[in-house]
Amino acid sequence: MMAVSKKEITQDMFQPAVIDKSLQEQVSGPSIGFWSDGFRRLRKNKAAMVSAFIILLIVIMALVGPHMSKYGIDDQDLKRSNLPPRISALANIHWLPFDGKNEQGVDVYKERGIKQDLWFGADKLGRDLWTRVWKGTQISLFIAVVAAAADLIIGVAYGGISAYFGGQVDNIMQRILEVLNGIPNLVIIILLIIVMQPGIPAIILAIAMTGWIGMARIIRGEVLKLKNLEFVLAARTLGASDSRIISKHMVPNTMSMIIIHTMFSVPGAIFFEAFLSFIGLGLQPPKASLGVLINEGYKMLSLHPYQALFPGVIISLLLICFNIFGDGLRDAFDPKLRQ
Amino acid sequence: MGRYIVQRIIYMIVTMFVIVALTFFSMKLLPGTPYKNQEKLSPEMIELLNHKYGLDKPLPVQFVKYVGDLLKGDLGVSFQFDGRPVTEIIGERLPVSADLGFEAMVIGLVFGLLLGIIAGLRRNTVWDYGSMIVAVIGVSVPSFVLAQLMQYYFAVKHHWLPVAYWEGPAYHILPDIALGFGPVATIARYMRTAMVDTLNQDYIEMARAKGLSRPAVTFKHAVRNSLIPIVTIVGPMAVNLMTGVLVIENIFAIPGIGDQFVTSVYTNDYPMIMGTTIMYSVAFIVVVFIVDLLYGVIDPRIRLAGGES
């Protein structure tokens, strides 16, 4: 019988499975959290990744670039005055501006007997523009990052306190905000800079003072929404203190909004610094920032256009990449766009 | 509605008061005296002059007088133009700036809407990507960089268009485009999003099902409904244009209020700076107010009282 019924399936071949209650909760496959999901989405966005790479490249050049040339940002030499850019390796590519010839097609390097290549040329005082442009980028980035960080701290604190405590506190803080918001940014910035000496602290303070309002509003909206949710109520019922609820529940849940908004306030600050320097309220020469360099280059535009070209291209690249990367971050992390 | 308007007007007055106070006290913080050749004046003479102009009175009294003058439309006299009233100079230059701003706005609306509509209708095609690349560039590249590039290429190098000044239609082209490119980009982006949203609505499907022609669906239903969110960005954009005017006028030597402002900054002409600042603030506040009122008229869904967040 055994031999014949090899294929036959009988009852006693089965045995009941052990029901393990502890395994009931187990989910197959690793769970994907909010952050890793967002990053996965971000990595798929090619434009955003390319932008991030370019931003990184510019940041590295801003740090390393000034040390690559042997000239400092204020080393003047009239022999090099208005020297066009030259990179010997690229000199034969005619559509690139690196052939060392001026607008009339004269090879200025040969004429003045200069052996050394100045990659971005020199300005009217013979200062090396390579050093100045990268140093300027460094200063512009520094101003933008510090200003954005200040925006973030003030905005999050103001918006968070206003929404979290609510009631009369919220009412008064919102009325103040409404009046402040009515004052044009430009007015505050100009008054501040006229009263303070134009310089890095004045610019940072001016940008930070006007930039935090947007952040405060977003955070207030988020916190208002969050504080009525069950998990916050549960935490409060369990006796969690205000500071614990804020740091453990409110901040992590608003983090994505904070990061997205900061990503857009950095290019805003870069633009404002350049704008202020361009109208003469920013850094004063010989200090360099992208705005100062664009302004100096603009004065020589008709004769030596390359002097405005390099800072102009770098600021445009930076702003375009920050905007694309910011868009990518928003698409990846903004819960409203999730389906 | 009536209550809302009254409330907003009160806010506007408070805001204006804060701005005037800020400008006034910042002026007082500045070093030196407001007189020419101050190093030649003896302390006694400065005292006499101060008495003559009421500058020896306590600050609050001076402030009340300043506000009083302001309400009468007196913004003081310019240092730079030998005592010409600030209001006169502003009145002379404002129309030019308004002209420039208006033309840039028109360019922004026409080309921005066009690009946005095309991108929205032809989603994920070359048209869409092309429009959006233009839009990202327009949003990012500062107007003063773009203006320089165009000025060099079209005017200095090829002599196709005048380099600067404000004399005939040809002189308007470069500044208008330089200033209008940002609005084109912003409007195109918003319009594309709005078009995509609208085209997914049920009523569009309904209109198609009824057998309406493509143009009828596109223009009567999709475009018209997509225009609502555009109104909300026109206000902030007008304000941005006011900032852009400053540098564009400077670059193209256009005799408007922005060019005057930059010159005043360079020459420390404080009454002129303050006068322009106050005028700019008034314009800003009024524009924002009008736009807020317009929202309610155009889209009844927007609650004017502005509830939570």
Side-chain angles (χ1 to χ4, degrees), chain A residues 103 175 182 298 319 323 327, chain B residues 11 140 152 189 251 261 284:
Chain A
E103 285 297 285
R175 295 296 83 79
Y298 171 65
L319 294 178
N323 277 327
D327 281 347
Chain B
Y11 271 121
S140 310
Y152 176 71
R189 287 179 104 181
I251 288 174
F261 181 81
F284 177 95

Side-chain angles (χ1 to χ4, degrees), chain A residues 103 175 178-179 182 184 186-187 190-191 194-195 275 278-281 294-295 298 301 305 308 319-320 323 327, chain B residues 11 15 19 23 26 30 136 140 142 148 151-152 189 243 246-247 251 261 265-266 270 277 280-281 284-285 309:
Chain A
E103 285 297 285
R175 295 296 83 79
E178 218 146 313
V179 170
L186 203 60
V187 170
I190 286 167
L191 288 180
I194 289 174
V195 172
F275 173 79
F278 190 78
I279 62 171
L281 285 172
I294 291 170
N295 188 10
Y298 171 65
L301 186 68
L319 294 178
I320 290 173
N323 277 327
D327 281 347
Chain B
Y11 271 121
T15 309
I19 293 172
T23 42
S26 327
L30 295 172
V136 169
S140 310
Q148 289 179 27
Q151 190 182 36
Y152 176 71
R189 287 179 104 181
T243 316
L246 286 183
V247 282
I251 288 174
F261 181 81
V265 169
Y266 276 112
Y270 294 120
T277 305
Y280 178 87
S281 312
F284 177 95
I285 292 172
S309 109

Side-chain angles (χ1 to χ4, degrees), chain A residues 63-272:
Chain A
L63 296 174
V64 178
H67 304 290
M68 289 167 73
S69 164
K70 61 179 181 181
Y71 306 110
I73 63 158
D74 201 20
D75 288 352
Q76 305 178 7
D77 181 356
L78 290 179
K79 197 178 149 201
R80 298 194 300 264
S81 169
N82 292 324
L83 198 66
R86 184 173 78 173
I87 299 175
S88 295
L90 301 174
N92 292 325
I93 306 172
H94 69 95
W95 52 270
L96 285 175
F98 296 121
D99 54 5
K101 291 184 178 140
N102 65 13
E103 285 297 285
Q104 283 75 42
V106 180
D107 192 334
V108 185
Y109 285 82
K110 213 178 256 171
E111 203 178 68
R112 298 192 194 162
I114 295 168
K115 294 271 178 332
Q116 174 93 30
D117 278 358
L118 289 187
W119 301 312
F120 281 0
D123 65 7
K124 65 168 187 272
L125 297 172
R127 294 178 293 198
D128 181 16
L129 279 175
W130 175 273
T131 315
R132 284 181 70 71
V133 164
W134 293 119
K135 189 73 192 171
T137 311
Q138 190 184 334
I139 291 174
S140 287
L141 281 170
F142 172 75
I143 290 174
V145 169
V146 175
D151 269 13
L152 188 151
I153 293 167
I154 304 172
V156 170
Y158 196 98
I161 290 171
S162 178
Y164 187 77
F165 293 103
Q168 209 50 35
V169 177
D170 186 36
N171 208 3
I172 292 169
M173 287 177 89
Q174 286 312 302
R175 295 296 83 79
I176 295 173
L177 204 68
E178 218 146 313
V179 170
L180 286 181
N181 196 44
I183 306 174
N185 291 353
L186 203 60
V187 170
I188 299 182
I189 289 178
I190 286 167
L191 288 180
L192 200 75
I193 285 177
I194 289 174
V195 172
M196 286 173 75
Q197 284 306 306
I200 294 179
I203 297 176
I204 291 179
L205 190 63
I207 298 176
M209 266 179 76
T210 53
W212 62 272
I213 292 177
M215 179 69 94
R217 293 201 149 160
I218 291 175
I219 295 300
R220 175 172 175 270
E222 284 293 298
V223 172
L224 275 180
K225 207 167 65 190
L226 280 176
K227 80 171 185 179
N228 292 322
L229 293 182
E230 283 84 355
F231 67 91
V232 176
L233 196 67
R236 197 178 308 238
T237 318
L238 290 171
S241 62
D242 281 346
S243 61
R244 187 181 162 83
I245 293 176
I246 290 173
S247 64
K248 291 282 175 198
H249 298 292
M250 298 295 188
V251 172
N253 278 299
T254 44
M255 203 44 112
S256 64
M257 295 299 268
I258 295 175
I259 292 174
I260 293 167
H261 195 77
T262 307
M263 220 47 216
F264 283 111
S265 59
V266 170
I270 294 177
F271 168 78
F272 239 113

Side-chain angles (χ1 to χ4, degrees), chain B:
Chain B
M1 188 74 178
R3 192 172 158 266
Y4 172 74
I5 293 177
V6 171
Q7 194 189 346
R8 278 300 301 265
I9 289 174
I10 292 171
Y11 271 121
M12 282 162 72
I13 293 170
V14 173
T15 309
M16 222 33 241
F17 182 78
V18 172
I19 293 172
V20 170
L22 272 177
T23 42
F24 178 80
F25 289 106
S26 327
M27 255 166 108
K28 292 294 153 194
L29 281 173
L30 295 172
T33 62
Y35 311 121
K36 271 187 176 173
N37 314 321
Q38 53 169 301
E39 56 283 355
K40 286 185 201 155
L41 298 170
S42 65
E44 291 78 24
M45 283 171 81
I46 288 184
E47 213 165 278
L48 271 173
L49 280 169
N50 277 348
H51 183 70
K52 186 183 166 199
Y53 290 110
L55 295 177
D56 54 346
K57 298 206 176 73
L59 270 183
V61 177
Q62 289 186 40
F63 182 61
V64 170
K65 185 177 176 300
Y66 180 78
V67 174
D69 285 348
L70 203 68
L71 290 176
K72 282 183 261 165
D74 181 2
L75 290 170
V77 291
S78 161
F79 290 169
Q80 192 194 349
F81 292 103
D82 279 330
R84 277 185 64 197
V86 170
T87 37
E88 192 183 307
I89 300 173
I90 290 179
E92 210 170 82
R93 288 171 167 264
L94 195 57
V96 177
S97 299
D99 198 9
L100 173 63
F102 178 75
E103 284 165 10
M105 199 74 185
V106 170
I107 289 183
L109 279 170
V110 171
F111 290 97
L113 290 179
L114 215 64
L115 279 182
I117 291 171
I118 293 171
L121 286 176
R122 304 249 177 282
R123 195 142 65 105
N124 294 331
T125 63
V126 182
W127 293 97
D128 184 16
Y129 297 135
S131 307
M132 286 307 110
I133 288 171
V134 171
V136 169
I137 293 174
V139 168
S140 310
V141 177
S143 57
F144 49 93
V145 172
L146 185 74
Q148 289 179 27
L149 188 77
M150 293 202 308
Q151 190 182 36
Y152 176 71
Y153 193 78
F154 294 109
V156 177
K157 201 167 180 189
H158 293 288
H159 304 289
W160 290 333
L161 290 164
V163 179
Y165 303 125
W166 191 251
E167 277 155 13
Y171 291 82
H172 290 217
I173 297 174
L174 287 182
D176 283 356
I177 297 176
L179 193 57
F181 199 46
V184 168
T186 316
I187 292 176
R189 287 179 104 181
Y190 276 86
M191 191 61 190
R192 178 185 179 275
T193 316
M195 280 295 284
V196 170
D197 267 2
T198 318
L199 285 171
N200 283 332
Q201 298 288 327
D202 292 341
Y203 58 79
I204 296 289
E205 199 130 332
M206 178 70 186
R208 281 195 187 131
K210 279 196 311 186
L212 281 185
S213 68
R214 248 190 111 99
V217 175
T218 306
F219 290 99
K220 275 206 174 144
H221 296 271
V223 173
R224 268 175 81 174
N225 284 300
S226 305
L227 283 177
I228 294 170
I230 301 302
V231 180
T232 60
I233 58 163
V234 167
M237 229 168 49
V239 171
N240 274 341
L241 277 183
M242 289 157 100
T243 316
V245 160
L246 286 183
V247 282
I248 296 297
E249 287 184 354
N250 189 240
I251 288 174
F252 290 102
I254 297 166
I257 199 82
D259 177 52
Q260 177 56 53
F261 181 81
V262 177
T263 319
S264 308
V265 169
Y266 276 112
T267 54
N268 289 341
D269 190 349
Y270 294 120
M272 199 62 218
I273 298 175
M274 297 307 156
T276 323
T277 305
I278 289 172
M279 187 219 68
Y280 178 87
S281 312
V282 171
F284 177 95
I285 292 172
V286 171
V287 165
V288 171
F289 177 60
I290 292 174
V291 170
D292 278 359
L293 285 187
L294 272 182
Y295 297 166
V297 176
I298 291 170
D299 189 351
R301 285 173 299 183
I302 296 170
R303 282 174 304 146
L304 276 178
E308 293 296 79
S309 109

